[in-house]
Amino acid sequence: MVSTRLLAAFLISALAVTSAFAQDRRVPSSQAELRLSYAPIVQRVRPAVVNVYAAKVIQNHNPLLDDPIFRRFFGVPGQQPEQMQRSLGSGVMVDPSGLVVTNNHVIEGADQVKVSLSDKREFEAEIVLKDTRSDLAVLRLKDVHEKFPTLDFANSDELQVGDVVLAIGNPFGVGQTVTHGIISALARTQVGITDYQFFIQTDAAINPGNSGGALVDMTGKLAGINTAIFSRSGGSQGIGFAIPANMVRVVVASARNGGKAVKRPWLGARLQAVTPEIAETLGLRRPTGALVASIVSGSPAARAGLKPSDLIVAIEGQPIDDPNAFDYRFATRPLGGAAEIDVQRAGRPMKLTVPLETAPDGGRHEIVLTTRSPFQGAKVANISPAVADEMHLDMDSEGVVVTDVADDSIAANYGFQKGDIIVAVNGENIAKTSDLERATHENSRVWRIKLVRGGQQISATLGG
């Protein structure tokens, strides 16, 4: 009897659950419900998303071919074979005249760049501006006489975790593809991709070839430029990163104004992260903010009254969690005005106004060293405030900094890196690029070099 009652009760509850599910699962009652879709947004924005093809000629280097006796004996021509190296990415049309924004790493070192539109037409493109600090580049289509569809910029500061977004690009070269997901996180600062570590994280599928493509919000505006993925397999694992539209806007504005480099505000102070130990010392409830470590005399920070040990907690009302967040917020402020920052000094809150102006760049004197020496193929510059800011050098650094090293050059083969500071060569101090250039003209069989890399001094002896 008991078991019969239990069975009856179970059947009644099962019928109730089945009835509930049946109520949830119903046939759409109208055409509108049946046709809920992202298609209208995709149709509107898709023509503004392009494919970017970059090609670079590389020289196949065989060290045996450097030997003239080997070439004469075996009849090998002195000209070494060339090979075309190609890369594929995506881009976004941001100006009807044919201005395209993409990732710098998509076109880095390219000898030829082509842009393919969604209607299959192809155009040669010139590189208008490259900004390695944000990993963005701006291209312009050549020989065009028409207006192109574009995407408007969203205000990326208004995005929220959970917002639905679409990623449009050309993954794996299969053609233009649309994926959808949500914003998983904002203000990701520990990614290590660019100087300005402040990314939108999304679970919309982003794969190789998506770099430079559009991350679009539900109003059809550009929320960000898809840049990187976290993956152990090489494919999408639901963790993708995009550069916020507000940073993209700054780079595009510089290109529209004819600039070859992006002009950004300069603070003139070195900031450091707040560790749990520092937070405890300062009496903070949690380790947040950007701590002022040092200040350049006469800089905007100094004129605003900022002092060492001040804790920056907000800029223009936007909270600051760490120095990366401050760098991004400050870099996206327009030049010519001022920014209000919230500071805690000895536990007391206060507001300071920092003028927004560029770093002094007089006396850079950037040159490429061409004389045969261990430095051949390196580009070097004097350390001006602007160079120190761009290269993240200590503000009191002395010497000549390496700003670039040509691939397969003698300097690259010897292991010189971007950011190395050359302080002495063969016992002579190097204070200016002219000093280093003069040193390279010496016929020396042994080169004794002192340099600073990552704050550490290195001494090396190289063969001539």
Side-chain angles (χ1 to χ4, degrees):
M1 178 68 69
V2 175
S3 61
T4 304
R5 288 176 180 171
L6 287 173
L7 178 60
F10 173 77
L11 290 173
I12 291 170
S13 63
L15 286 170
V17 171
T18 302
S19 176
F21 278 127
Q23 289 177 356
D24 290 338
R25 293 174 177 162
R26 61 184 176 80
V27 176
S29 59
S30 68
Q31 281 289 98
E33 288 187 0
L34 188 63
R35 297 182 63 83
L36 286 175
S37 171
Y38 299 121
I41 298 173
V42 174
Q43 289 170 4
R44 189 165 70 250
V45 305
R46 189 171 182 170
V49 181
V50 302
N51 300 334
V52 178
Y53 302 92
K56 176 183 179 182
V57 177
I58 58 173
Q59 201 88 26
N60 286 329
H61 182 71
N62 186 337
L64 291 175
L65 297 181
D66 291 337
D67 187 345
I69 298 177
F70 181 91
R71 293 202 304 268
R72 186 171 69 248
F73 184 79
F74 288 101
V76 180
Q79 182 66 33
Q80 305 209 17
E82 293 181 342
Q83 182 179 352
M84 187 70 77
Q85 189 178 66
R86 303 180 188 276
S87 64
L88 167 70
S90 305
V92 180
M93 197 78 70
V94 290
D95 190 277
S97 64
L99 217 57
V100 175
V101 66
T102 185
N103 281 135
N104 182 64
H105 73 257
V106 170
I107 53 88
E108 182 63 31
D111 300 310
Q112 183 184 54
V113 179
K114 287 187 177 181
V115 170
S116 174
L117 307 187
S118 60
D119 62 9
K120 308 299 184 184
R121 289 184 297 162
E122 281 193 359
F123 295 89
E124 296 279 345
E126 62 176 332
I127 300 172
V128 177
L129 182 151
K130 296 195 299 181
D131 186 48
T132 57
R133 302 187 70 184
S134 64
D135 191 24
L136 291 171
V138 180
L139 316 174
R140 187 183 298 279
L141 304 190
K142 294 181 179 179
D143 303 320
V144 294
H145 308 284
E146 61 182 285
K147 299 296 183 182
F148 297 94
T150 63
L151 288 189
D152 293 329
F153 292 106
N155 182 355
S156 51
D157 286 344
E158 295 178 352
L159 297 174
Q160 296 184 21
V161 174
D163 283 351
V164 175
V165 286
L166 306 178
I168 308 177
N170 186 1
F172 297 111
V174 300
Q176 196 176 87
T177 303
V178 181
T179 56
H180 92 284
I182 63 169
I183 292 176
S184 308
L186 295 166
R188 285 294 194 220
T189 59
Q190 303 300 320
V191 181
I193 304 170
T194 68
D195 284 359
Y196 296 106
Q197 297 188 50
F198 197 88
F199 294 93
I200 300 167
Q201 182 182 326
T202 178
D203 67 349
I206 295 173
N207 288 292
N210 270 113
S211 288
L215 188 71
V216 177
D217 67 13
M218 289 298 98
T219 67
K221 292 184 177 179
L222 183 67
I225 293 294
N226 300 320
T227 296
I229 58 174
F230 176 82
S231 175
R232 290 189 173 91
S233 64
S236 174
Q237 292 185 319
I239 303 178
F241 300 101
I243 299 168
N246 288 0
M247 175 60 78
V248 182
R249 191 198 310 266
V250 170
V251 175
V252 171
S254 292
R256 280 182 177 141
N257 294 332
K260 295 298 183 183
V262 180
K263 300 292 186 181
R264 294 186 174 95
W266 174 57
L267 180 64
R270 185 166 63 87
L271 307 179
Q272 69 180 79
V274 178
T275 63
E277 293 76 19
I278 292 175
E280 185 177 356
T281 302
L282 297 176
L284 302 176
R285 295 174 59 185
R286 62 189 186 94
T288 186
L291 190 65
V292 178
S294 59
I295 294 176
V296 177
S297 177
S299 67
R303 301 203 309 273
L306 204 61
K307 296 181 179 180
S309 299
D310 282 351
L311 182 67
I312 301 174
V313 295
I315 176 172
E316 294 294 335
Q318 294 277 3
I320 298 298
D321 286 335
D322 56 30
N324 288 324
F326 179 85
D327 287 346
Y328 169 82
R329 297 288 184 198
F330 195 69
T332 52
R333 302 300 302 166
L335 288 166
E340 185 179 79
I341 59 174
D342 291 301
V343 171
Q344 288 186 11
R345 178 177 296 168
R348 292 184 295 107
M350 58 192 312
K351 293 184 181 294
L352 300 175
T353 302
V354 181
L356 298 169
E357 55 192 51
T358 58
D361 199 22
R364 177 188 290 249
H365 297 305
E366 196 168 31
I367 60 172
V368 176
L369 299 170
T370 58
T371 306
R372 186 168 182 83
S373 71
F375 303 101
Q376 187 177 8
K379 182 184 288 187
V380 295
N382 295 334
I383 303 177
S384 66
V387 171
D389 184 51
E390 292 169 14
M391 305 292 293
H392 296 286
L393 306 177
D394 287 339
M395 292 168 287
D396 56 355
S397 298
E398 296 181 353
V400 169
V401 66
V402 177
T403 58
D404 197 14
V405 181
D407 294 339
D408 299 323
S409 65
I410 291 177
N413 291 336
Y414 272 115
F416 287 104
Q417 300 176 11
K418 182 178 178 179
D420 286 348
I421 301 174
I422 312 300
V423 295
V425 175
N426 290 336
E428 297 292 328
N429 290 335
I430 303 296
K432 299 178 292 186
T433 55
S434 56
D435 297 337
L436 184 55
E437 186 175 33
R438 184 172 60 253
T440 63
H441 285 85
E442 298 179 5
N443 292 321
S444 180
R445 302 188 65 177
V446 177
W447 296 80
R448 298 184 304 280
I449 300 168
K450 285 185 180 179
L451 60 87
V452 175
R453 175 180 295 171
Q456 300 296 317
Q457 184 165 299
I458 301 171
S459 296
T461 302
L462 306 176

